[in-house]
Amino acid sequence: MCLPHLSKLLYTFPGWKVGVTALQQAPAVDVVAIGLVSGQVVIHNIKYDETLMKFHQDWGPITSISFRTDGHPIMAAGSPCGHIGLWDLEDKKLINQMRNAHSTAISGLTFLHREPLLVTNGADNALRIWIFDGPTGEGRLLRIRMGHSASLTKIRYYGQNGQQILSASQDGTLQSFSTVHEKFNKSLGHGLVNKKIVKRKGLQNTMSVRLPPITQFAAEEARQSDWDGIIACHQGKLSCSTWNYQRSTIGAYFLKPRGVKTNSSITATAVDITSCGNFAIIGLSSGAVDVYNMQSGIHRGSFGDDKAHTGSVRGVAVDGLNQLVVTAGSERLLKFWNFKTKVLIHSLGLDSSPNMMLLHRDSGILGLAMDDFSIAVLDIETRKIVREFSGHHGQINDMTFSPDGRWLISAAMDCSVRTWDLPSGCLIDCFLLDSAPLNVTMSPTGDFLATSHVDHLGIYLWSNISLYSVVSLRPLPPDYVPSIVMLPGTCQTQGMEDLEEKTELSDEMIEYESPEQLSEQLVTLSLLPESRWKNLLNLDIIKKKNKPKEPPKVPQSAPFFIPTVPGLVPRFAVPEPSSDPQQSKVVNLGILAQKSNFYLKLEEGLLNNQYEAALNLLKELGPSGIETELRNLSPDDGGSVEVMRSFLNMIGMMLDRKRDFELAQAYLALFLKLHLRMLPSEPALLEELVKLSSQVEKDWTHLQSLFNQSMCVLNYIKSAFL
Ligand SMILES: *[C@@H]1O[C@H](CO)[C@@H](O)[C@H](O)[C@H]1NC(C)=O
Ligand SMILES: *[C@@H]1O[C@H](CO)[C@@H](O)[C@H](O)[C@H]1NC(C)=O
Ligand SMILES: *[C@@H]1O[C@H](CO)[C@@H](O)[C@H](O)[C@H]1NC(C)=O
Ligand SMILES: *[C@H]1O[C@H](CO)[C@@H](O)[C@H](O)[C@H]1NC(C)=O
């Protein structure tokens, strides 16, 4: 397919006076559909430059067009407002509309070949598959894959099994992502201001009833099957919403402090839920901290005479036993309260105002990130600062404890993620990212660290490298220069672009010739049939099986001329019984040994270090031929130690080149089997073998890890589609 006129302009269409936005070939020959800015779709025969039909869609420019190919003459056209029009090409009319297929513009839609399935995607970061199986000809949503459509505002692991991550986003939704399988993820949806009104008025899709994005949330699964287990603050809002994880929806209450005017600029800034799931604690920007019952939504008291803090509340936390509440205020005070009596126990002055606060409930260790980019760690029993860490050069966005409370991991605007070892008080890990990390959360089982990043919609998972290899966790030196880790992406990387450019250079299509070796990282197999190498090791068994039961016998019939014994008296010679009963027709080749071609090439190889010729000879032989050649290498069978060394060199060369991998293994195995007895007595050979052994092992470990990796991917794909 290398046509010289491939890139030659053949014809120019005059156009339709407005911009063309989509172009799609129709199933009919020479017919294309042209989508225009005006919302028109023109079905045009390009051979005769003739318009066959025109449709007009009212939703603005056509973004994308596709034709059904399973026997229905239907065309789908996408629009910038998320609707899809379905047109009948025979009756030349609109037969259906799929409104709000996506919440943003449809960026692409395609009917699957010969299937009643339409795949659409949009700028809302969703991929949907619609099936056309109903009588109305309307698409029914079959499958959906959806992420957040705007940047994330907060992520936290949910539950104790470490498999779900709750994430809130600027798009106003709260979603739960499973780290195990997409099957288990779910969206808790948008928060609606008043569900009942919305239902009654059928306002489902109007933006005005949606709550602003969640900025903070706390979740506790202890009573999730009884009542709501998630409490969330919304951007610029005073009241906090509750959410139900099990029912995947916004919950029953809006917890709103009484006595605060709704139109004041006071907002909720910090929340926590007790580990029993009964109480929620809400801190406000005014400094007030209130307790609510999660089951009933009733106000259960507040801390402080009027307010807990004079500044805004930057963090609230309850200990694991509902005894102590810790609150941090922007006026540089950390306060300890009795949970039941709401009495102030202790107030601690800080050097700088706290930015965020995090409590590790099991150990009672409290992490405080300060506005001066330092971190303080307190023990809530003794109420003393036990560690202070500095090193970040930017605002600390988030922190998380490892499940055992040993490590504190912090993420900051300076694009670094740092791991601090609490017992030793040292920084043990630090790496830089190309995009500043916003939130970090460690799974309760310690297997993953999840991060969210500026300008990224996804959640990134990091695994604990010490699970896979031995890492010495030494304190990093003060002048340690962290390396930059690139976030994995779906966009093409630099290297791929280079590759593409290179391939683009040759405009002629060259038939692909597979190189002898694809990559130095991989091994290549010979293309010899399996029978040539697979059974080499079992050759003796096969021979034994195929061996005639008895040696061929001389027929016992009387000869025609009976031999006589020379002498005076004629006497018949009695045939002597064969002296060697074991003698068979199988000739012992060792005795007849004459230097074979292979042997000669190996000898040559010793001089010029070229083993290609010898290898090629060996490749042409069948299994028993190979065995004979290898057997004859040993000094007992007419060979020499030198030639055996040459053979090992040949194997070494094969391993080096990483080609004919299976042959190298099979030949070596047979060689070892045949000469096992004599090899140890030859130091020269032994030395060679030790070298080979490490080489074989290295290659194999590499291969094995590749195999394992492939198996994992395969298993994953299998589990994802079955
Ligand atoms: C999490 O990320 C948001 C922005 O996405 C940031 O405002 C916030 O400070 C981060 N940390 C916490 C603890 O929410
Ligand atoms: C809040 O609204 C009331 C009337 O509803 C008004 O008198 C008051 O000035 C408003 N306060 C603010 C901070 O907007
Ligand atoms: C990482 O793995 C090692 C080895 O299993 C374990 O000792 C360590 O606690 C893990 N780290 C975290 C933060 O879970
Ligand atoms: C998760 O996957 C399921 C099924 O694959 C899908 O229905 C759901 O919308 C997805 N949700 C998110 C948040 O990705």
Side-chain angles (χ1 to χ4, degrees), residues 22-35:
L23 203 58
Q24 177 67 36
Q25 185 175 0
V29 181
D30 295 331
V31 177
V32 296
I34 299 140

PDB file of all heavy atoms in Angstrom, residues 22-35:
ATOM      1  N   ALA A  22     -16.849  18.216  12.235  1.00  0.00           N
ATOM      2  CA  ALA A  22     -16.738  16.762  12.346  1.00  0.00           C
ATOM      3  C   ALA A  22     -16.839  16.150  10.972  1.00  0.00           C
ATOM      4  O   ALA A  22     -17.498  16.697  10.082  1.00  0.00           O
ATOM      5  CB  ALA A  22     -17.843  16.214  13.242  1.00  0.00           C
ATOM      6  N   LEU A  23     -16.172  15.049  10.783  1.00  0.00           N
ATOM      7  CA  LEU A  23     -16.149  14.384   9.495  1.00  0.00           C
ATOM      8  C   LEU A  23     -16.164  12.895   9.781  1.00  0.00           C
ATOM      9  O   LEU A  23     -15.382  12.411  10.594  1.00  0.00           O
ATOM     10  CB  LEU A  23     -14.848  14.775   8.795  1.00  0.00           C
ATOM     11  CG  LEU A  23     -14.768  14.688   7.286  1.00  0.00           C
ATOM     12  CD1 LEU A  23     -15.830  15.530   6.650  1.00  0.00           C
ATOM     13  CD2 LEU A  23     -13.396  15.166   6.847  1.00  0.00           C
ATOM     14  N   GLN A  24     -17.100  12.200   9.146  1.00  0.00           N
ATOM     15  CA  GLN A  24     -17.178  10.774   9.447  1.00  0.00           C
ATOM     16  C   GLN A  24     -17.588  10.005   8.213  1.00  0.00           C
ATOM     17  O   GLN A  24     -18.520  10.396   7.518  1.00  0.00           O
ATOM     18  CB  GLN A  24     -18.190  10.552  10.582  1.00  0.00           C
ATOM     19  CG  GLN A  24     -18.423   9.116  10.954  1.00  0.00           C
ATOM     20  CD  GLN A  24     -17.182   8.511  11.581  1.00  0.00           C
ATOM     21  OE1 GLN A  24     -16.468   9.171  12.308  1.00  0.00           O
ATOM     22  NE2 GLN A  24     -16.914   7.254  11.270  1.00  0.00           N
ATOM     23  N   GLN A  25     -16.890   8.930   7.937  1.00  0.00           N
ATOM     24  CA  GLN A  25     -17.245   8.126   6.783  1.00  0.00           C
ATOM     25  C   GLN A  25     -18.508   7.321   7.081  1.00  0.00           C
ATOM     26  O   GLN A  25     -18.643   6.747   8.163  1.00  0.00           O
ATOM     27  CB  GLN A  25     -16.099   7.186   6.453  1.00  0.00           C
ATOM     28  CG  GLN A  25     -16.375   6.423   5.179  1.00  0.00           C
ATOM     29  CD  GLN A  25     -15.206   5.578   4.755  1.00  0.00           C
ATOM     30  OE1 GLN A  25     -14.173   5.556   5.409  1.00  0.00           O
ATOM     31  NE2 GLN A  25     -15.371   4.879   3.661  1.00  0.00           N
ATOM     32  N   ALA A  26     -19.421   7.274   6.120  1.00  0.00           N
ATOM     33  CA  ALA A  26     -20.647   6.502   6.308  1.00  0.00           C
ATOM     34  C   ALA A  26     -20.397   5.072   5.860  1.00  0.00           C
ATOM     35  O   ALA A  26     -19.444   4.809   5.143  1.00  0.00           O
ATOM     36  CB  ALA A  26     -21.762   7.130   5.485  1.00  0.00           C
ATOM     37  N   PRO A  27     -21.270   4.158   6.282  1.00  0.00           N
ATOM     38  CA  PRO A  27     -21.088   2.769   5.855  1.00  0.00           C
ATOM     39  C   PRO A  27     -21.228   2.632   4.334  1.00  0.00           C
ATOM     40  O   PRO A  27     -20.666   1.724   3.750  1.00  0.00           O
ATOM     41  CB  PRO A  27     -22.216   2.011   6.558  1.00  0.00           C
ATOM     42  CG  PRO A  27     -22.682   2.913   7.648  1.00  0.00           C
ATOM     43  CD  PRO A  27     -22.383   4.297   7.240  1.00  0.00           C
ATOM     44  N   ALA A  28     -21.953   3.526   3.686  1.00  0.00           N
ATOM     45  CA  ALA A  28     -22.105   3.449   2.233  1.00  0.00           C
ATOM     46  C   ALA A  28     -20.837   3.951   1.555  1.00  0.00           C
ATOM     47  O   ALA A  28     -20.179   4.865   2.056  1.00  0.00           O
ATOM     48  CB  ALA A  28     -23.301   4.282   1.805  1.00  0.00           C
ATOM     49  N   VAL A  29     -20.537   3.387   0.405  1.00  0.00           N
ATOM     50  CA  VAL A  29     -19.315   3.748  -0.315  1.00  0.00           C
ATOM     51  C   VAL A  29     -19.378   5.200  -0.770  1.00  0.00           C
ATOM     52  O   VAL A  29     -20.431   5.681  -1.192  1.00  0.00           O
ATOM     53  CB  VAL A  29     -19.153   2.808  -1.531  1.00  0.00           C
ATOM     54  CG1 VAL A  29     -17.879   3.138  -2.290  1.00  0.00           C
ATOM     55  CG2 VAL A  29     -19.152   1.372  -1.073  1.00  0.00           C
ATOM     56  N   ASP A  30     -18.264   5.881  -0.657  1.00  0.00           N
ATOM     57  CA  ASP A  30     -18.104   7.260  -1.132  1.00  0.00           C
ATOM     58  C   ASP A  30     -18.948   8.291  -0.389  1.00  0.00           C
ATOM     59  O   ASP A  30     -19.063   9.424  -0.828  1.00  0.00           O
ATOM     60  CB  ASP A  30     -18.445   7.382  -2.631  1.00  0.00           C
ATOM     61  CG  ASP A  30     -17.471   6.592  -3.475  1.00  0.00           C
ATOM     62  OD1 ASP A  30     -16.322   6.447  -3.031  1.00  0.00           O
ATOM     63  OD2 ASP A  30     -17.870   6.121  -4.549  1.00  0.00           O
ATOM     64  N   VAL A  31     -19.568   7.887   0.699  1.00  0.00           N
ATOM     65  CA  VAL A  31     -20.429   8.835   1.409  1.00  0.00           C
ATOM     66  C   VAL A  31     -19.779   9.224   2.733  1.00  0.00           C
ATOM     67  O   VAL A  31     -19.289   8.363   3.456  1.00  0.00           O
ATOM     68  CB  VAL A  31     -21.828   8.225   1.656  1.00  0.00           C
ATOM     69  CG1 VAL A  31     -22.689   9.172   2.461  1.00  0.00           C
ATOM     70  CG2 VAL A  31     -22.482   7.882   0.340  1.00  0.00           C
ATOM     71  N   VAL A  32     -19.765  10.511   2.995  1.00  0.00           N
ATOM     72  CA  VAL A  32     -19.281  10.957   4.296  1.00  0.00           C
ATOM     73  C   VAL A  32     -20.322  11.878   4.914  1.00  0.00           C
ATOM     74  O   VAL A  32     -21.121  12.496   4.210  1.00  0.00           O
ATOM     75  CB  VAL A  32     -17.932  11.718   4.214  1.00  0.00           C
ATOM     76  CG1 VAL A  32     -16.823  10.829   3.727  1.00  0.00           C
ATOM     77  CG2 VAL A  32     -18.070  12.943   3.354  1.00  0.00           C
ATOM     78  N   ALA A  33     -20.257  11.942   6.261  1.00  0.00           N
ATOM     79  CA  ALA A  33     -21.121  12.878   6.965  1.00  0.00           C
ATOM     80  C   ALA A  33     -20.243  14.023   7.412  1.00  0.00           C
ATOM     81  O   ALA A  33     -19.139  13.810   7.917  1.00  0.00           O
ATOM     82  CB  ALA A  33     -21.765  12.202   8.157  1.00  0.00           C
ATOM     83  N   ILE A  34     -20.718  15.233   7.233  1.00  0.00           N
ATOM     84  CA  ILE A  34     -19.934  16.405   7.596  1.00  0.00           C
ATOM     85  C   ILE A  34     -20.717  17.194   8.630  1.00  0.00           C
ATOM     86  O   ILE A  34     -21.871  17.596   8.388  1.00  0.00           O
ATOM     87  CB  ILE A  34     -19.656  17.269   6.354  1.00  0.00           C
ATOM     88  CG1 ILE A  34     -18.861  16.445   5.347  1.00  0.00           C
ATOM     89  CG2 ILE A  34     -18.879  18.524   6.720  1.00  0.00           C
ATOM     90  CD1 ILE A  34     -19.273  16.659   3.934  1.00  0.00           C
ATOM     91  N   GLY A  35     -20.107  17.398   9.772  1.00  0.00           N
ATOM     92  CA  GLY A  35     -20.756  18.164  10.818  1.00  0.00           C
ATOM     93  C   GLY A  35     -20.299  19.608  10.740  1.00  0.00           C
ATOM     94  O   GLY A  35     -19.117  19.882  10.516  1.00  0.00           O
TER      95      GLY A  35
END
